[in-house]
Amino acid sequence: MSQNFADKNVYLVDSLNLSKISDYDKAIVDSCVKLYHKSKDEKAKFEAINFIIEECWDESVWPKYNDWLHQISSKKLNSKLSKEQKKLYKYLLSTAYNNKGYLADQHGKSDWALKYYNKSFEMDKELNDRKGMAQILNNIAGVYQKQGKVKEALLTFEESLKIRENENDSLGISQSLANISSIYSNQGEDDKALECLFRCMTYVDEDSYSRLGVLYNNIGSIYAAKKESSKAFEYYNKSLEVHKIIGHVRGGSFALNNLGALMNDSNIVECDLPKTECDKIRTKKALEYYLESLAGYEQIGDMDGASFTMNNIGSCYSKLGKLKLAEKYLKKSQEISESAGYPTPLRDAAIHLSNLYFKQGKNKESLEMYKLHIKMRDSLNNESTQKAAIQQSAKYEYEKQRAIDDAEHDKEIAIEQEAKEKQTILTYATAGGLGLVAIFLL
């Protein structure tokens, strides 16, 4: 098949295959590249390229522009610049590091993700970019959460939220609330989690498809936890529809995975046959969703998502009596999880394999996998970690209420002084990168 590579002199990057990217992404790239060449303002030129990085989801597209941005910024910072130019290129380099961190995180390279995020954070700190610092803290917390470090994740999410509240950053506040809701959910506080997510909806525009898709997914997950299957099914399908509109494969795969889980764990599909036959029908339907989900994750190289989905596929094949296929997917999930250092999918793979080996009479192997499951379970759910997470949640609620009380008192004083003075503070700062959707997907 012939390759339709874009002209580097026009599109700036090497090996951009225009025939293989979606119409949505191509429209963004074409318009932004045109703006880059047309604009005479240095800042506007780079903002156009940064828009490609932030809005395109295709990993054959945006990482190329991010690498280009990193190279240009690094080169410029080694040359003689005005104060404003130096500030601009530091911001752009921070953005590039943030995006590199996001990409590393999505491909299971958590150590590299943290290194890139910390580089970005230090640069934002030099620039006194408070919104940028909050975004990086949010992304770092997301890595901690994937690693099962609940205490560190919660502390860092709350640190990010406090900065955003001080900056009156509505979009950032909604992001932090969504992430804190995931902590509440993991602690079994579903009503609080759901309340946070619906608060987030008030901060999201109707045309912000990617953010809406993530929120729909998360709301569906809470309803599923509350055993409200019809509402969960409604929101998962809303999420899937939105992600298909914008060609966001990862978001669509996540929604498909959740739909599969819903099929497996509820009576959403009506069936008048004997229970064993109904269970078989539901399992087959769940398997269809999981296989489609896995194809998407593998397409974009998201091994974290793939490992979770492989566990689900293995479980379905085991229920259907196809034990060789079940073992194949579960062993692959185990290998990926051990390599990437993700305890949650490893915990799940281990218990599924333990049950599978027990069915096959392989008692030694079954016991080994059960021991691995217990080890991973304890590392995620030890008593001190749970207590620390709950204590930190309570601390945040207390500080939040205290801040409200203090604000009311300050308001009374301000009314008395309003005739004498009035101050307006305008802060312009942009948080770079693509961390938003990645962390929401947790």
Side-chain angles (χ1 to χ4, degrees):
M1 181 182 288
S2 62
Q3 302 290 315
N4 181 21
F5 290 125
D7 183 352
K8 183 180 177 180
N9 293 325
V10 177
Y11 286 87
L12 307 174
V13 298
D14 287 318
S15 305
L16 181 64
N17 192 340
L18 296 175
S19 64
K20 289 192 174 182
I21 67 176
S22 69
D23 291 340
Y24 178 86
D25 283 351
K26 188 174 185 302
I28 291 174
V29 171
D30 285 340
S31 61
C32 289
V33 166
K34 185 177 179 180
L35 182 60
Y36 172 86
H37 290 294
K38 183 179 179 180
S39 179
K40 295 180 181 179
D41 180 74
E42 193 172 28
K43 184 178 180 181
K45 291 170 78 75
F46 287 103
E47 282 180 345
I49 301 305
N50 198 41
F51 190 83
I52 295 174
I53 298 167
E54 291 182 350
E55 295 300 322
C56 288
W57 292 103
D58 192 332
E59 290 189 3
S60 69
V61 178
W62 74 261
K64 293 181 185 294
Y65 283 98
N66 192 62
D67 288 341
W68 179 87
L69 186 67
H70 178 268
Q71 292 167 9
I72 293 294
S73 301
S74 299
K75 184 177 179 181
K76 290 283 188 180
L77 285 169
N78 288 324
S79 62
K80 190 174 181 180
L81 299 171
S82 68
K83 186 177 179 180
E84 286 302 313
Q85 285 177 317
K86 191 172 183 179
K87 184 177 180 181
L88 170 64
Y89 288 109
K90 275 191 174 182
Y91 159 72
L92 293 172
L93 186 57
S94 172
T95 298
Y97 277 131
N98 186 21
N99 295 335
K100 282 178 175 287
Y102 164 79
L103 189 63
D105 183 30
Q106 294 305 310
H107 289 273
K109 301 175 181 178
S110 56
D111 290 340
W112 276 103
L114 291 173
K115 287 178 183 178
Y116 285 131
Y117 284 148
N118 281 312
K119 283 186 177 183
S120 181
F121 182 82
E122 289 304 316
M123 298 198 76
D124 284 344
K125 195 173 180 180
E126 286 180 27
L127 293 166
N128 195 30
D129 181 356
R130 303 283 294 170
K131 288 187 179 179
M133 290 166 62
Q135 180 65 56
I136 301 302
L137 287 170
N138 184 82
N139 297 349
I140 290 171
V143 177
Y144 288 150
Q145 191 174 16
K146 280 186 178 181
Q147 292 176 328
K149 299 177 180 178
V150 179
K151 179 181 177 180
E152 291 90 338
L154 186 60
L155 282 168
T156 312
F157 277 139
E158 290 178 351
E159 187 179 355
S160 174
L161 177 59
K162 287 175 184 177
I163 294 174
R164 286 165 162 174
E165 288 177 332
N166 288 335
E167 297 295 315
N168 293 317
D169 178 9
S170 296
L171 182 59
I173 291 169
S174 71
Q175 182 191 38
S176 293
L177 285 169
N179 293 328
I180 290 173
S181 80
S182 70
I183 300 290
Y184 280 137
S185 179
N186 290 337
Q187 294 294 323
E189 299 184 62
D190 293 330
D191 289 335
K192 283 187 177 180
L194 200 57
E195 181 182 344
C196 285
L197 290 175
F198 279 117
R199 279 185 64 193
C200 291
M201 294 292 291
T202 65
Y203 294 101
V204 180
D205 296 332
E206 289 184 2
D207 57 350
S208 297
Y209 290 116
S210 60
R211 296 183 181 95
L212 281 173
V214 171
L215 284 173
Y216 287 149
N217 230 330
N218 291 352
I219 291 171
S221 294
I222 302 300
Y223 277 129
K226 289 166 65 68
K227 304 300 182 184
E228 297 183 35
S229 301
S230 60
K231 287 185 178 179
F233 189 75
E234 174 191 349
Y235 278 97
Y236 285 153
N237 276 293
K238 280 185 177 182
S239 176
L240 180 60
E241 182 181 354
V242 166
H243 286 305
K244 283 186 174 180
I245 289 172
I246 62 174
H248 185 204
V249 177
R250 180 175 286 109
S253 291
F254 194 77
L256 286 163
N257 205 2
N258 285 341
L259 282 164
L262 191 65
M263 287 294 161
N264 246 343
D265 299 334
S266 72
N267 294 322
I268 195 72
V269 175
E270 294 184 5
C271 180
D272 295 328
L273 299 173
K275 184 179 184 302
T276 53
E277 290 299 314
C278 290
D279 288 344
K280 192 173 182 181
I281 290 170
R282 294 185 183 107
T283 300
K284 286 182 176 180
K285 184 60 181 177
L287 184 59
E288 290 177 14
Y289 282 125
Y290 289 143
L291 289 170
E292 187 179 350
S293 173
L294 179 61
Y297 281 131
E298 290 182 332
Q299 177 188 331
I300 60 176
D302 184 344
M303 303 317 293
D304 179 36
S307 64
F308 275 101
T309 309
M310 287 173 182
N311 282 333
N312 294 334
I313 292 171
S315 177
C316 284
Y317 277 130
S318 181
K319 287 180 180 179
L320 294 171
K322 299 181 179 181
L323 303 187
K324 287 186 177 180
L325 278 172
E327 184 177 9
K328 171 188 171 182
Y329 282 99
L330 293 172
K331 289 294 292 181
K332 183 65 176 175
S333 176
Q334 180 189 358
E335 291 169 9
I336 293 170
S337 301
E338 287 179 332
S339 175
Y342 289 152
T344 303
L346 181 56
R347 175 200 64 190
D348 296 343
I351 192 61
H352 287 313
L353 281 167
S354 177
N355 292 334
L356 180 67
Y357 289 141
F358 184 77
K359 285 182 180 180
Q360 295 174 321
K362 299 177 180 179
N363 295 333
K364 181 181 177 182
E365 291 88 343
S366 177
L367 181 59
E368 287 176 356
M369 287 297 102
Y370 186 72
K371 286 179 179 178
L372 178 60
H373 166 73
I374 294 299
K375 180 181 178 181
M376 293 299 102
R377 185 198 66 185
D378 289 348
S379 72
L380 286 165
N381 298 316
N382 66 75
E383 185 177 352
S384 61
T385 299
Q386 288 187 344
K387 284 182 178 178
I390 294 168
Q391 287 170 359
Q392 288 302 320
S393 295
K395 179 183 175 185
Y396 171 74
E397 291 298 326
Y398 167 78
E399 291 178 350
K400 179 83 172 181
Q401 185 59 49
R402 181 176 177 180
I404 292 170
D405 294 340
D406 289 345
E408 289 296 323
H409 178 64
D410 291 343
K411 185 178 179 182
E412 292 173 4
I413 296 173
I415 291 172
E416 295 174 2
Q417 295 179 342
E418 186 174 349
K420 298 179 181 179
E421 63 178 341
K422 183 178 180 181
Q423 180 182 11
T424 304
I425 300 172
L426 298 176
T427 302
Y428 292 96
T430 304
L434 290 165
L436 173 66
V437 172
I439 307 306
F440 270 359
L441 287 176
L442 292 171

